[in-house]
Amino acid sequence: MKIVSPKPFTIETGKRAVLLLHGFTGNTNDVKRLGRYLADRNYTVHAPLYKGHGSDPLTLINTDPIEWWNSAVEGYDELRRRGYKEIAVAGVSLGGIFSLRLGEERPIKAIVTMSAPALSKSVDSLQQRIISYTINYKKLTGTYNEDVDKPENLAKTYRMPKLEYLQGIINDTSAKLNQIDKPVHILRGLNDDEYYCQSADYIYNSVKSRIKSVKSFINSGHILTVDKERDLVFEEVYRFFESLKWEE
């Protein structure tokens, strides 16, 4: 079965720009509905696709986390190239920590993090994400064999050598959160792993923003933008951006 690979997308509808960032092993489909929701309300949106994502697992594991970060930066630069001076950023999971990192290194209007990791996490747990991604990909393409494609077997073939570097990016970003003074809105799903709920508290307590808040969604898990309460999430993000004082 041939699958259609997700692609970056841009919808230009207004002077207010929002960069949308997906998560580790995710793709732009994770933020597409949110993008359309904001575009319908006169926000220009752009979502880059991280290098190696949205493809087969071998392609993914042969990329480097710094290349994913560079994809996020290139997305920001694309909006600047198009002439947008005020850029907010909203990210899911790894996209959330990339959003915070952009807030540390680039002029950002405001930041929305959704299920962002901000605490140390074992490389084994990150590797497990690769295995889950591989199994899902094989099922989607009709190549999954239950007898052969056991997690312990896949772990030998689909091991990503640079996951320690990914954890380093997360740790480095978290250590500099006190550099962020722009408005920050932190969203979390209470059905998500406790690690991400604790990370939300850590982010809130670490940033120096005068405007900062945390919102919990009772019936949602990790990828808030595609879960049961996604419509409430979209509205929450929109209301937060509407509360800001934009130049135009």
Side-chain angles (χ1 to χ4, degrees):
M1 175 184 175
K2 183 178 181 180
I3 61 174
V4 179
S5 298
K7 295 178 174 58
F9 68 84
T10 306
I11 310 174
E12 291 193 90
T13 55
K15 294 181 179 179
R16 300 174 176 182
V18 179
L19 179 67
L20 299 174
L21 300 177
H22 65 80
F24 171 46
T25 71
N27 58 66
T28 51
N29 289 335
D30 292 342
V31 294
K32 184 166 285 187
R33 288 182 179 178
L34 173 58
R36 288 172 178 163
Y37 183 95
L38 292 173
D40 287 344
R41 287 153 182 80
N42 209 34
Y43 283 82
T44 285
V45 297
H46 174 64
L49 179 68
Y50 307 153
K51 186 170 183 179
H53 283 66
S55 184
D56 64 274
L58 284 176
T59 298
L60 174 61
I61 65 174
N62 283 304
T63 57
D64 191 310
I66 194 64
E67 294 178 299
W68 312 341
W69 164 242
N70 288 340
S71 296
V73 173
E74 288 164 7
Y76 174 89
D77 290 342
E78 174 63 19
L79 285 170
R80 291 300 294 260
R81 186 189 67 78
R82 290 172 181 254
Y84 296 96
K85 297 179 180 179
E86 290 188 295
I87 302 171
V89 58
V92 182
S93 194
L94 180 61
I97 206 72
F98 280 172
S99 298
L100 292 164
R101 193 172 185 86
L102 280 170
E104 296 167 359
E105 299 187 4
R106 297 288 193 281
I108 292 292
K109 181 69 176 180
I111 301 166
V112 174
T113 72
M114 294 172 273
S115 310
L119 303 170
S120 293
K121 195 173 188 180
S122 72
V123 172
D124 287 343
S125 65
L126 293 171
Q127 178 60 39
Q128 185 55 48
R129 293 278 295 277
I130 297 289
I131 302 307
S132 297
Y133 180 84
T134 301
I135 291 172
N136 291 335
Y137 183 87
K138 284 177 168 288
K139 288 181 176 179
L140 190 62
T141 55
T143 59
Y144 177 72
N145 184 319
E146 187 174 0
D147 295 326
V148 176
D149 295 324
K150 297 182 183 299
E152 58 270 23
N153 295 334
L154 295 175
K156 299 173 183 177
T157 304
Y158 298 94
R159 176 160 291 278
M160 187 169 185
K162 295 190 177 180
L163 288 177
E164 291 86 354
Y165 190 77
L166 175 58
Q167 184 57 60
I169 291 176
I170 295 172
N171 291 344
D172 182 65
T173 303
S174 296
K176 298 176 182 176
L177 289 175
N178 60 2
Q179 298 179 11
I180 296 175
D181 59 4
K182 299 301 183 184
V184 175
H185 196 24
I186 304 156
L187 311 185
R188 62 183 170 194
L190 295 187
N191 285 341
D192 199 0
D193 189 281
E194 181 63 20
Y195 164 86
Y196 293 98
C197 293
Q198 292 173 354
S199 289
D201 291 332
Y202 182 83
I203 295 167
Y204 179 85
N205 291 325
S206 298
V207 297
K208 298 305 179 185
S209 313
R210 293 181 62 187
I211 301 173
K212 59 181 179 179
S213 49
V214 178
K215 175 73 173 182
S216 300
F217 292 86
I218 298 174
N219 298 312
S220 295
H222 189 57
I223 308 299
L224 292 169
T225 49
V226 298
D227 215 323
K228 296 176 183 178
E229 297 170 292
R230 59 180 177 268
D231 291 338
L232 296 176
V233 171
F234 299 165
E235 184 178 357
E236 187 70 25
V237 174
Y238 171 68
R239 285 183 176 179
F240 174 67
F241 288 149
E242 283 291 290
S243 72
L244 305 175
K245 293 182 178 179
W246 299 78
E247 288 183 4
E248 54 84 17

